[in-house]
Amino acid sequence: MRSSTLSLPPARLFIGAGGLLLALVAALIVIGAPEPFNLVLLPGIVLATIVVLVPWTGPLALVLSIPVQEYHALSVGGISLTATKLALAAAVAAFAIQIVSRRESLRGSVLLVPYFAFIGTMLISLRGAVDLNAGLAEIYRWTVTLIALVLALYGIRQRTAIIATAVAMGFGVFFEGLLGVFQTVRDQGPASFAITSSISRAYGTFGKPNTFAAYFELTGPLLAALAVWSLVKCVDLGRRYRVERVRGMAASTELRRALLIHCALFLWFAGTSFISLLAIVASFSRGAWLGITAAAIAMLMLSDKRAALVVGCGVVLVTLGLAAGGGSYAPTALRSRFDQLESQVRIFNSNNVLLTDDNFATVERMAHWQTGAAMFEAHPFTGVGIGNFNVRFPDFAVNPSFTVSEGHAHNYYINAAAETGIIGLATYLWLIVTGLVVSLRATRKTLDPFARAIGIGAVGVTVALIVHNVVEDLHVLNLGVQLSVVWALAIIVVRFLPAEAETA
């Protein structure tokens, strides 16, 4: 009697032998490779394999890596190896394999043009850079955001992949938001983050409250829009199910399954949206409060004409209420932050103000603005060099009390003008306006409610970015990856979903 093994088809034997060989190679990598390569090579190979088989998992992995990118980063030859870099390497390797093996053409977008233009102006600005390494590091970060856009445009094509990507964003929001709220209520921040004797600003794994809040601004609006879409879908499916169930359990099986799925999506998107809002509040970031408020207004006005009218009336009433002293009824901590917000956007000469503990942050911010403006005046066309704001800050400091940069100009428009000149600022504005246009297009060019929700969410994200960038830099710690994926989703829903009928 023949052994059952010998009766297996040659194809299965080949697959089994190949799997065994791969397992042996993986074991040798883990055992023989020096640290920390043995810790990252095997996960990278596994991730790349998954992305080759399922292309949309590439951008999804990038999105998931953002909140943990600096957590337990490994140092290899003086280079920090983060979760985002590992996900990027795996996604790019898989992308290259897909292009060669499947011979599929790249999928472009009008958004790629200003992206390339802005990176081009960065390269031009290097001619005046003092620190080339700082400049190349900044170009690398922007190149990563461009790659994220390309990967998302190529890999994400179906409604299921879009929803999975949004759900993945929700996971980051869920864990990062709960961590931040816990830090606030337990007063776990350093002394500089203290709001009161028992409340601290949330900072999560990002290390800084403003960056922490920016992450939720670039995610929360999309989740909120999808929460509304899934709620409307649940109501519609519920009505249809009540009619269909009289025909029996078997006849209503599909509707019942769809209803359960959309109810679960609603609970997830609504819950993560609420956590996102809580996290922004807990960050006590005045710029984020302003940005998310502007995003909410823009999203409501895009919903329908009645919502636009209600929002307009609401803005007028709130303005009148604040003018009449209504802000005095807010909690002391919140009222103090709003008072400081007003002073932050007011223009003044930092040298004409007596520095005190109460106005230190405001004067420091204005000193950075003025120093950035001085750099721009000295190098109006190509700037002092991308990534060189901190390096050149002492040379252009306008206030003797602030001669060392805090990391950026506290205004990305000024920062871009200082580092890349008027050409760089113009191309950056071109990029942001194009991102807003492609987001708006998703709300206008399709009748699909899901596509409209993606577009409205993308508009909210873009508006929050535009507003918050007036007092902050939201292009740090690879947050641009999140922005690129959101814009890609807005492009994809116009490109692919109109040809699909929305399923139950």
Side-chain angles (χ1 to χ4, degrees), residues 12 32 47 93-94 112 118 128 135 239 262 295 343 345 348 365 401 421 494:
R12 291 190 179 184
L47 181 58
L112 293 174
F118 188 40
R239 290 198 194 100
H262 283 86
S343 64
V345 296
F348 61 91
R365 187 179 299 271
S401 299
V494 174

Side-chain angles (χ1 to χ4, degrees), residues 4 18 70 87 91 137 161 169 177 223 228 237-238 256 266 295 310 360 365 371 383 385 395 425 441 468 488:
S4 60
E70 297 298 325
M169 291 182 181
L223 298 176
V228 174
L237 288 169
R256 187 168 57 254
F266 166 69
V310 171
F360 182 89
R365 187 179 299 271
T371 302
D395 301 332
L425 176 60
R441 187 166 177 260
H468 196 174

